[in-house]
Amino acid sequence: MSVVNSAPGPSEEHLEEALESGDEQVMGKAQIIFRRFLRNKTAVAGLVIFLLLCLFSTAGVFLQQWDKTTIDPLNIGTGPSATHWFGTSQGGRDLFAQMVEGIRTSIVIGLVVGIGSALFAAIYGCTMAYFGGRLERIMLFILEALIMVPSILIVAIVTSGGGGLQSSLPGWILLTIVILIFGWMGAARLIRSLGKSLMSRDFVKAAQFMGVHPFKIVWRHLVPNIGSLLVLDITRGVTAAILAEIAFSFIGIGIKDPDISLGVLIGQASSQVSSYPWMFWYPLLAMFFLTGSLSMLNDGLRDAFDPSSTSVGKAKKK
């Protein structure tokens, strides 16, 4: 009679002792997502580039030798030098100082619009999904009506001409408000469909049975359960807002002088690429690095939130 030897598995007492001694660690969902993100070298590189651009737009003020509005009569339309690191414009203004201001303006617009539109879309979409009925039909009608409005026409009306809002608010604030108003509708429709599926979950029905206020259910139960989608919507929204600002300013209906942004700098130098190439290529490279880093960051976050993705590799076995 033969006896087959098999390696015994870990007993329950052994597992309890390991947990108490700290030999075995239980990782939370946030820690798992963070580690998966760090394994994605492309996403980490995108995050580093974006943080460096943010640092440049804030700390660059202390490095610049010239103000963005100061004219150097001895260096008008000159290339990069020790005096003017990025060269000067055809009016004699330092391009380095303008780049610091322009990148900061574009990043601020992107962050405000990206975060604000994602949060408003989450609340609006979850409210439609929770209440349903007549309220959902009214909110959906408002949503569809806003989608049909040509945003480029509203931007042109608000930012062009004199008097009114333009005289009381800077151009970049007006542009931020308009982009924010028209930047949340697509995400709200998607969140509404996801919220409909969450309404059938037990934890939502239990909260309703206990008499929890509807807005608390929306904020504490529905919104957190679409957190991964919101994070991706924020990164996509930041990129879309920056590109919208550059496009509007490039065609002359966005931010205007004396306010400075990447779109303003690219638009001013687009017709003089052969004469002043540094005025065009420095802002254009900054735009590529800014939007490219956000795209790499968004791809890394999407893979980190997706448990079935293998693009970030597999955990090492000990």
Side-chain angles (χ1 to χ4, degrees):
M1 183 176 180
S2 61
V3 178
V4 178
N5 293 326
S6 60
S11 63
E12 294 183 359
E13 296 181 357
H14 176 73
L15 292 175
E16 291 179 359
E17 292 177 358
L19 289 173
E20 291 177 358
S21 62
D23 294 336
E24 299 290 339
Q25 295 182 355
V26 179
M27 292 188 296
K29 182 179 179 180
Q31 189 176 2
I32 294 174
I33 293 172
F34 181 68
R35 290 193 175 187
R36 285 173 58 85
F37 177 81
L38 291 182
R39 289 204 301 268
N40 192 327
K41 304 304 181 183
T42 303
V44 173
L47 178 61
V48 171
I49 294 173
F50 179 72
L51 292 178
L52 288 176
L53 288 172
C54 292
L55 182 63
F56 173 80
S57 65
T58 53
V61 179
F62 305 102
L63 299 176
Q64 62 191 28
Q65 304 175 7
W66 300 82
D67 188 75
K68 63 177 183 178
T69 58
T70 303
I71 297 176
D72 184 5
L74 300 179
N75 294 278
I76 296 179
T78 58
S81 62
T83 305
H84 299 278
W85 296 339
F86 288 178
T88 60
S89 65
Q90 65 270 31
R93 293 191 292 181
D94 185 68
L95 184 58
F96 181 88
Q98 292 182 325
M99 285 281 294
V100 172
E101 178 75 14
I103 293 176
R104 181 168 64 248
T105 301
S106 297
I107 290 177
V108 169
I109 291 175
L111 290 177
V112 171
V113 173
I115 296 174
S117 60
L119 293 179
F120 188 76
I123 297 174
Y124 197 92
C126 289
T127 302
M128 286 193 296
Y130 180 84
F131 290 99
R134 185 176 181 182
L135 179 61
E136 181 185 12
R137 290 194 296 271
I138 294 174
M139 296 177 70
L140 192 58
F141 173 78
I142 296 173
L143 181 64
E144 298 291 344
L146 288 174
I147 291 177
M148 297 299 294
V149 175
S151 59
I152 188 171
L153 179 61
I154 303 300
V155 172
I157 294 173
V158 172
T159 59
S160 300
L165 291 174
Q166 192 181 19
S167 61
S168 58
L169 293 175
W172 70 272
I173 294 181
L174 288 176
L175 184 62
T176 301
I177 294 173
V178 175
I179 298 176
L180 182 59
I181 292 174
F182 292 96
W184 58 272
M185 281 89 75
R189 296 177 65 179
L190 178 59
I191 291 172
R192 167 181 168 268
S193 62
L194 293 178
K196 285 284 190 180
S197 63
L198 290 174
M199 288 301 299
S200 60
R201 299 291 182 88
D202 292 337
F203 59 87
V204 176
K205 293 181 178 180
Q208 291 175 325
F209 180 77
M210 294 172 62
V212 179
H213 195 276
F215 289 104
K216 285 188 176 180
I217 296 177
V218 170
W219 184 252
R220 295 183 180 179
H221 295 284
L222 297 186
V223 173
N225 279 278
I226 57 174
S228 59
L229 176 64
L230 289 182
V231 173
L232 297 179
D233 279 339
I234 288 174
T235 54
R236 284 194 296 263
V238 173
T239 307
I242 292 174
L243 291 176
E245 178 277 315
I246 293 174
F248 288 141
S249 300
F250 181 82
I251 62 179
I253 63 173
I255 300 175
K256 297 181 178 64
D257 196 66
D259 295 325
I260 299 175
S261 68
L262 288 178
V264 172
L265 295 175
I266 295 173
Q268 290 177 349
S270 60
S271 60
Q272 301 174 344
V273 179
S274 58
S275 302
Y276 308 100
W278 58 89
M279 288 184 56
F280 178 79
W281 289 110
Y282 278 121
L284 190 66
L285 288 175
M287 183 197 72
F288 284 150
F289 280 119
L290 187 56
T291 57
S293 63
L294 288 170
S295 298
M296 292 188 294
L297 181 60
N298 181 77
D299 292 340
L301 289 172
R302 183 193 61 221
D303 294 333
F305 280 112
D306 185 7
S308 61
S309 175
T310 59
S311 61
V312 294
K314 298 180 180 180
K316 297 180 180 179
K317 295 181 179 181
K318 295 183 179 180

